[in-house]
Amino acid sequence: SQQGEEDPQALSIQEGENATMNCSYKTSINNLQWYRQNSGRGLVHLILIRSNEREKHSGRLRVTLDTSKKSSSLLITASRAADTASYFCATDALETSGSRLTFGEGTQLTVNP
Amino acid sequence: DTAVSQTPKYLVTQMGNDKSIKCEQNLGHDTMYWYKQDSKKFLKIMFSYNNKELIINETVPNRFSPKSPDKAHLNLHINSLELGDSAVYFCASSQAGLTIYFGEGSWLTVV
């Protein structure tokens, strides 16, 4: 079954605005990761947050994790046209620890210049 | 110095044919994967190998057969291709189940 569900499915914003994407999951996890996929390309890892962490930053990215609500958010600040891509959350479930990541359905972000 | 490379990038073939996609990683990772991404961008794991041993085999038709000659290579062979096999197939690798490094994908179109 699908572990991660992302919201919204699509997001369109203007350059300079912030973009927030949400991810919900069902089972207990070791960690949650966010990936980015440019059109026609493979997925690229952005950031990993462990189950005992609540917030993590990397450049213009901020990720939060709420294990009680089984949800995570990815915030991209001061967005740029080059941020246009699909963003996926992926969970490493406790029961299958380290053996696989289960991906959400992705959010298509469009940043208009 | 590509980390995970897969070939071919594009493949158009007729129903009933047999085809292979090759994958190699130069990261020294122990674990390699095949993922399938459908037209709605849903990404689903197909297989996972750790040190040449199969550790994950999802509900995939047995027309799909992975082969790992060594831990740096994981090839995917598909027999008797069907229209529904059209998708993007991603090879990936990781170490200790953490960050996954993906190849650029192989676009398979079955006509």
Side-chain angles (χ1 to χ4, degrees), chain A residues 96 99-100, chain B residues 32-34 44-50 53-67 74 76:
Chain A
T96 54
S99 67
R100 75 177 76 190
Chain B
M32 294 187 72
Y33 311 83
W34 277 106
K44 186 176 164 76
I45 191 167
M46 299 173 68
F47 301 103
S48 172
Y49 272 72
N50 185 271
E53 298 295 323
L54 180 67
I55 56 172
I56 294 174
N57 183 350
E58 290 295 290
T59 311
V60 177
N62 57 14
R63 297 182 295 104
F64 290 77
S65 54
K67 284 189 172 52
L74 180 61
L76 182 65

Side-chain angles (χ1 to χ4, degrees), chain A residues 1-2 31 33 35 37 39-45 48 50 85-86 88 92 98-106 108, chain B residues 9-10 31 33 35 37 40-45 48 55-56 58 90 94 96-105 107:
Chain A
S1 63
Q2 180 66 4
N31 64 69
Q33 304 180 32
Y35 286 78
Q37 183 181 29
S39 180
R41 305 296 297 274
L43 282 77
V44 175
H45 178 259
L48 179 152
R50 297 184 189 276
S86 293
F88 295 86
D92 177 22
S99 67
R100 75 177 76 190
L101 288 183
T102 303
F103 285 81
E105 295 174 348
Q108 173 61 50
Chain B
K9 186 170 177 70
Y10 299 103
T31 306
Y33 311 83
Y35 278 85
Q37 188 173 45
K40 295 184 179 179
K41 292 197 171 182
F42 177 45
L43 198 67
K44 186 176 164 76
I45 191 167
S48 172
I55 56 172
I56 294 174
E58 290 295 290
F90 285 98
S94 73
L98 294 176
T99 303
I100 292 187
Y101 292 80
F102 283 85
E104 289 293 286
W107 269 251

Side-chain angles (χ1 to χ4, degrees), chain A:
Chain A
S1 63
Q2 180 66 4
Q3 168 74 322
E5 293 182 5
E6 292 173 69
D7 160 54
Q9 286 189 337
L11 180 62
S12 182
I13 59 174
Q14 294 300 123
E15 230 175 2
E17 293 180 342
N18 296 341
T20 300
M21 290 161 269
N22 303 298
C23 168
S24 60
Y25 57 92
K26 297 188 174 83
T27 63
S28 297
I29 61 171
N30 283 315
N31 64 69
L32 184 145
Q33 304 180 32
W34 285 89
Y35 286 78
R36 163 195 170 126
Q37 183 181 29
N38 285 8
S39 180
R41 305 296 297 274
L43 282 77
V44 175
H45 178 259
L46 294 176
I47 196 165
L48 179 152
I49 186 164
R50 297 184 189 276
S51 59
N52 61 353
E53 298 176 308
R54 292 295 166 258
E55 188 169 311
K56 205 159 182 183
H57 296 253
S58 176
R60 294 183 295 113
L61 305 181
R62 181 171 81 98
V63 168
T64 62
L65 179 63
D66 186 335
T67 52
S68 66
K69 295 181 180 177
K70 291 188 168 57
S71 67
S72 173
S73 68
L74 170 67
L75 168 68
I76 304 175
T77 59
S79 63
R80 305 167 182 167
D83 294 329
T84 294
S86 293
Y87 291 82
F88 295 86
C89 68
T91 51
D92 177 22
L94 267 178
E95 61 185 8
T96 54
S97 175
S99 67
R100 75 177 76 190
L101 288 183
T102 303
F103 285 81
E105 295 174 348
T107 293
Q108 173 61 50
L109 172 66
T110 302
V111 181
N112 301 299

